Amino acid sequence: DAKTTQPPSMDCAEGRAANLPCNHSTISGNEYVYWYRQIHSQGPQYIIHGLKNNETNEMASLIITEDRKSSTLILPHATLRDTAVYYCIVRAYNFNKFYFGSGTKLNVKP
Amino acid sequence: GAVVSQHPSRVICKSGTSVKIECRSLDFQATTMFWYRQFPKKSLMLMATSNEGSKATYEQGVEKDKFLINHASLTLSTLTVTSAHPEDSSFYICSARGWGGDSPLHFGNGTRLTVT
């Protein structure tokens, strides 16, 4: 699986958009980008995934660059409950395993 | 949808005893289930992958005799920590993946194991 690079921490003001970047410059053509978050002492929560097109669901939007070497997870209106560690994972289609990197600790501040 | 239930959420046991943790996919059939371990302030570490009816595949460095995994059905996997020692104290998290090549993992809420 391609390695991902994320900033260790970010701050965001409550009510503003949180934009979390992920670099995956060695991504292959059949590898998807997945985003999860983990609130303290809970299991990770699936947020969104995509291959090359931008994706949106009720939680977030995923923007993947045209060359697919990086992506951004957007939480449009961050709340205090969005404070968590966010993980970006790259995984090939039909490949079983998900390996977690160190993620980004998002601090949403009032 | 895609709910994974993990029990117990917390367990305290004495050194030398064994502990079983259950993981169930409640509303979908899981082709594969995974077990992770997490130390404080660290990321999740994949321990093993299990498919229904076959032996689990363990990651390098994970003792298969210490961490016994049974995947009895498409909705149930168990992890047994055998002869537990204080160094086995950790947060254990299971996950399950449904059908479809790009289907995401869905996670249980974890089990906090403390060995005294």
Side-chain angles (χ1 to χ4, degrees), chain B residues 8-30:
Chain B
S9 58
R10 281 182 187 276
V11 59
I12 301 172
C13 71
K14 297 193 177 198
S15 281
T17 61
S18 295
V19 173
K20 181 185 283 190
I21 303 169
E22 276 195 0
C23 179
R24 292 180 185 272
S25 57
L26 296 186
D27 53 0
F28 68 102
Q29 291 188 325

Side-chain angles (χ1 to χ4, degrees), chain A residues 8-22:
Chain A
S9 66
M10 293 181 64
D11 290 338
C12 177
E14 189 178 19
R16 305 297 291 265
N19 296 282
L20 293 104
C22 180

Side-chain angles (χ1 to χ4, degrees), chain B residues 73-104:
Chain B
S73 72
L74 284 173
T75 59
L76 173 63
S77 176
T78 59
L79 168 69
T80 301
V81 183
T82 63
S83 187
H85 290 285
E87 57 266 30
D88 299 324
S89 298
S90 192
F91 191 51
Y92 293 89
I93 312 169
C94 75
S95 63
R97 177 175 166 239
W99 301 92
D102 67 327
S103 59

Side-chain angles (χ1 to χ4, degrees), chain A residues 34 36 38 96-98 101, chain B residues 36 38 43 59 97 102 105:
Chain A
Y34 296 79
Y36 286 82
Q38 186 179 26
N96 257 335
K97 302 180 184 181
F98 281 69
Chain B
Y36 290 82
Q38 187 174 33
S43 186
E59 295 296 300
R97 177 175 166 239
D102 67 327
L105 287 191

Side-chain angles (χ1 to χ4, degrees), chain A residues 4-109:
Chain A
T4 60
T5 305
Q6 298 178 254
S9 66
M10 293 181 64
D11 290 338
C12 177
E14 189 178 19
R16 305 297 291 265
N19 296 282
L20 293 104
C22 180
N23 183 287
H24 31 79
S25 57
T26 60
I27 194 169
S28 300
N30 67 341
E31 289 181 316
Y32 285 72
V33 180
Y34 296 79
W35 282 85
Y36 286 82
R37 71 180 182 185
Q38 186 179 26
I39 295 168
H40 183 62
S41 294
Q42 295 182 22
Q45 178 188 23
Y46 165 73
I47 301 173
I48 199 168
H49 76 282
L51 181 63
K52 55 184 178 181
N53 297 321
N54 297 337
E55 302 286 345
T56 296
N57 63 20
E58 64 278 2
M59 289 183 69
S61 294
L62 172 60
I63 309 297
I64 302 174
T65 57
E66 196 166 336
D67 64 8
R68 302 209 320 121
K69 293 185 177 182
S70 66
S71 60
T72 301
L73 179 75
I74 300 172
L75 308 178
H77 305 286
T79 70
L80 298 178
R81 284 176 293 183
D82 292 322
T83 292
V85 179
Y86 287 76
Y87 296 98
C88 166
I89 299 167
V90 170
R91 188 192 68 109
Y93 184 86
N94 247 352
F95 183 72
N96 257 335
K97 302 180 184 181
F98 281 69
Y99 292 104
F100 282 74
S102 50
T104 295
K105 174 73 196 304
L106 176 67
N107 299 299
V108 181
K109 303 190 173 182

